[in-house]
Amino acid sequence: SQQGEEDPQALSIQEGENATMNCSYKTSINNLQWYRQNSGRGLVHLILIRSNEREKHSGRLRVTLDTSKKSSSLLITASRAADTASYFCATAPSGNTPLVFGKGTRLSVIA
Amino acid sequence: KAGVTQTPRYLIKTRGQQVTLSCSPISGHRSVSWYQQTPGQGLQFLFEYFSETQRNKGNFPGRFSGRQFSNSRSEMNVSTLELGDSALYLCASSSQGGENTIYFGEGSWLTVV
């Protein structure tokens, strides 16, 4: 079963706009991670936020985490065509269990 | 530092055959995980090896197996291939595995005809 679920499944925006993706998960976690996948390629790690953090920034990325709601959001500001990809959240129910990924949000940024 | 390397990149097999996929992790990483990705099911965890021992296993039939060598390189094998095994198989490595950040290879595209 999926630990994390991203929403929306697909998102299409114009270049320069902001993109927001959400992730909900089921069990308590120590951290939540976001990954990006370009079509047919491997996933690339974007950012990790720990359960005691509420917000984290990395360049044009902003991640928030609300452990009371078991949800996270990924904001990409000033989107570029190169941001077109699928974005996945990943969590692990406990320290030595493997990361479980949601089905991802497909982001299309139109130039 | 070289990334995770997976071979072969693309392969086509016939139903009933078997296939072996290879993964070389980032130098120094002892954990190797395998995932299957299909359009319908998304990313499904297959198994994780840490220091040559299988530490975690996903919900896949026994046709799917793996192993890890003393140099941390890993292989996965699928026997008696079925059409539904067509997928992108992704290998990921990390220093500790589990909930820590993992680094993916480019994957092996398997098509079963």
Side-chain angles (χ1 to χ4, degrees), chain A residues 2 30-31 33 35 37 40-43 45 48 88 92 94-99 101 103, chain B residues 9 35 37 40-41 43-45 48 55-56 88 90 98-102 104-106 109:
Chain A
Q2 301 298 130
N30 292 327
N31 68 61
Q33 303 178 40
Y35 289 76
Q37 183 181 35
R41 309 291 294 274
L43 282 74
H45 179 257
L48 179 153
F88 297 84
S94 65
N96 279 332
T97 55
L99 286 176
F101 290 79
K103 291 194 174 183
Chain B
R9 186 82 170 91
Y35 290 82
Q37 187 177 29
Q41 297 299 316
L43 274 156
Q44 300 285 312
F45 171 75
E48 179 202 4
R55 187 160 69 174
N56 290 290
L88 177 64
L90 291 161
E99 64 180 4
N100 298 287
T101 299
I102 58 177
F104 284 87
E106 292 287 59
W109 280 100

Side-chain angles (χ1 to χ4, degrees), chain B residues 24-80:
Chain B
S24 293
I26 292 172
S27 178
H29 283 186
R30 294 189 294 169
S31 168
V32 174
S33 299
W34 289 89
Y35 290 82
Q36 180 197 66
Q37 187 177 29
T38 59
Q41 297 299 316
L43 274 156
Q44 300 285 312
F45 171 75
L46 281 157
F47 26 67
E48 179 202 4
Y49 287 87
F50 186 86
S51 294
E52 301 180 66
T53 301
Q54 187 179 83
R55 187 160 69 174
N56 290 290
K57 187 178 190 304
N59 189 26
F60 277 81
R63 300 185 298 108
F64 291 81
S65 63
R67 59 179 176 169
Q68 186 179 33
F69 302 96
S70 59
N71 61 358
S72 292
R73 191 177 69 85
S74 178
E75 290 181 346
M76 68 161 283
N77 183 275
V78 188
S79 62
T80 320

Side-chain angles (χ1 to χ4, degrees), chain A residues 12-70:
Chain A
S12 184
I13 60 173
Q14 297 289 325
E15 206 168 30
E17 294 181 338
N18 295 340
T20 300
M21 290 156 264
N22 303 296
C23 169
S24 59
Y25 57 92
K26 296 175 183 174
T27 67
S28 61
I29 57 172
N30 292 327
N31 68 61
L32 183 144
Q33 303 178 40
W34 286 91
Y35 289 76
R36 183 188 74 222
Q37 183 181 35
N38 289 89
S39 182
R41 309 291 294 274
L43 282 74
V44 174
H45 179 257
L46 294 175
I47 196 165
L48 179 153
I49 185 166
R50 302 192 187 282
S51 59
N52 61 352
E53 297 175 309
R54 290 296 168 259
E55 187 171 312
K56 198 162 183 180
H57 297 254
S58 177
R60 293 184 296 112
L61 305 180
R62 172 180 168 247
V63 169
T64 62
L65 179 64
D66 186 336
T67 53
S68 66
K69 295 181 179 177
K70 292 187 170 59

